[in-house]
Structure formats: structure tokens, C-alpha cells
Amino acid sequence: MQTIVIAVLRLFTWLQTQGPIGVVYYTLFLTAWTVACLPTTPLEISAGYTFSSRSAVIASVTGKTLGSVAAFMLGRTFIAPVLARRRAAAAAAAAAWDAAHPHEHHSHSHCRWGRLANLTSHLQHALAAAPAETIAMVRASPTPIAIKNYGLSLMPLDVVPTPVFAAITLAVNVPYSIAWSLTGSSASSLQDAVNGEVSVHNGVVAAKTFALVLLLSALGGFAHYCKSRLDAHRHVLHSPRQSPAKGTPKSTPAANGHSNGAAHKLNGKSD
């Protein structure tokens, strides 16, 4: 983490000397940074300190959205076909193993691919039921960025269309970029901005900090809600179906015949 902080400090120290073109350089760098699945928050906070609030928000939203869409398309074009072939090969190997060793467990690799297939099917089921809501929850939840971009790219095209992914990603990125830009603009130095520290030294910054706290609280609550919804959906998919309530068993014809015969014998004896 310290290495990232030093690299970010050097980058934005250089960007400060580039004038208006520095915003363009930052946008392009943030795009590549997002494709590499690196943490974007330190960059967005530093941009809030280095540039104007408006420029920082526009550049951060643009760079992060372009990077997410680029990663999504890369995953769909190159990673998804490879994983599909490997899953098919693993399924065939598991079937062959079951046929040859009916009383033995699968190997570790088969189990690993089985878990991946289960996770993918659960996510696909949620996306098929409520695509926009599920994509938004995945994007807003505290989930690694690799899952948000490359993980969703593994879903079928009809389940997660690229335009829908891009639109929801843009909508979710806007409030977070505003929050991080406000954080950076409230810092007293670039070092404090990289560390996410704000300073309250006048009324304007105090009001900005108060708005920032409210925004971050709302975003944190929404992220927690999204994670809870995803966990609940996963729990429902994992839980076994409930058996019908036990009641008085219905008598079968054979049972009826047996009971009638027994009753007849008893009646005969009593006579």
C-alpha cells in the first residue's frame, strides 16, 4: 500500500505542472488503472485536491467508467471463452471419473470448478430474475473490482448486455466520484489527500466536510444494503427445498385392504 501511495504522490505532483492537459492525462491513466483492477479511491481523492471539483468529478467518472467497460469487454472477448472451454473439459472429466470410480470423490480440481460453476449459476439466476437491480447491487457493494468488471463479463450476453452494464456503471460511479472529489478538495495537502485526510479550517470547508460525511454515510448504507441483498439471495439459492408439512398419512389401497381384513377377522372372532 505504501508503494501505491508514493506512486500516486509522484503522479499528481507531475500532473499539477501540466495545466489543463493534466486532466486528460489523469483520465487516461485512471482508465488503465481500472482495467488493471487497482484501487481507484486514492487517485480520485488526489484528483479532488489537484483539479477543480468539477474537473475532478468529470475526469474520475469518465476514466473509471471507461476502464470498467473496457475490462468488461476484454473479459467477455478473451476470458469468458477460455473459462467456458475449461468448465466444459472439467465437467467431462468429472463425468468420466464418476463412471470409472462410482464410489469415490472427485479430485480437488473438479471440486474447484464445480464451486465456480455453482457461483456462476447463482449469479446468473439473480441476473436473469432482476438484471438491472442485481448489476447495481454488485457495482455498489463492497466487492472486489475484478468481480464487478471481469466477473460480470462471464455472464451470457442476453443476461448482462453491454449497454446496460455501461449505463448502470456510470450511474453508480457518479456519487462515489463526487464523494472522493469532495474528500480531496477538503485536504490541506496532496499527502493528506492521498491518505484520505480532510482538514476543517473555515466555514466553506466545514460545510463541504459535513456534506461529504452525509454522502459517504448514505453510500455506505446503500453498499451494506446491496451486500445484504446479495447474501440473502445466495442463501435462498443454497437452502434446500422444504418438504411438505407432516400430517396424517393417507391410507393406501393396500393398507385399507389390510386394515379391513384385520377388522373382519376381529369381528369374526367376536361373533
Side-chain angles (χ1 to χ4, degrees), residues 19 21 29 32 42 57 84 99 106 122 125 135 137 206 211 216 225 240 259 263:
I21 195 67
F29 183 82
V57 170
H106 289 166
H122 295 335
H125 183 276
I135 295 173
M137 288 192 296
L216 288 177
Y225 165 78
S259 60

Side-chain angles (χ1 to χ4, degrees), residues 4 30 36 41 43 72-73 77 79 93 104 111 122 132 161-162 168 178 189 192 206 218 227 235-236 246 267 269:
I4 295 178
L30 181 60
T41 302
L43 271 67
F72 179 82
M73 297 181 69
T77 303
I79 301 177
E104 297 183 19
C111 295
H122 295 335
T162 302
I168 295 177
I178 292 175
S189 66
D192 290 344
K227 186 176 185 301
H235 175 72
V236 170
K246 293 183 178 180
N267 291 333
K269 289 182 179 180

Side-chain angles (χ1 to χ4, degrees), residues 132-141 143 225-227 229-230:
E133 180 184 1
T134 305
I135 295 173
M137 288 192 296
V138 171
R139 298 294 315 180
S141 64
T143 305
Y225 165 78
C226 292
K227 186 176 185 301
R229 287 290 303 273
L230 291 173

Side-chain angles (χ1 to χ4, degrees), residues 42-67:
L43 271 67
E44 295 185 80
I45 295 176
S46 300
Y49 174 84
T50 304
F51 311 117
S52 67
S53 297
R54 179 180 178 181
S55 297
V57 170
I58 293 175
S60 294
V61 170
T62 302
K64 197 160 59 172
T65 303
L66 289 177

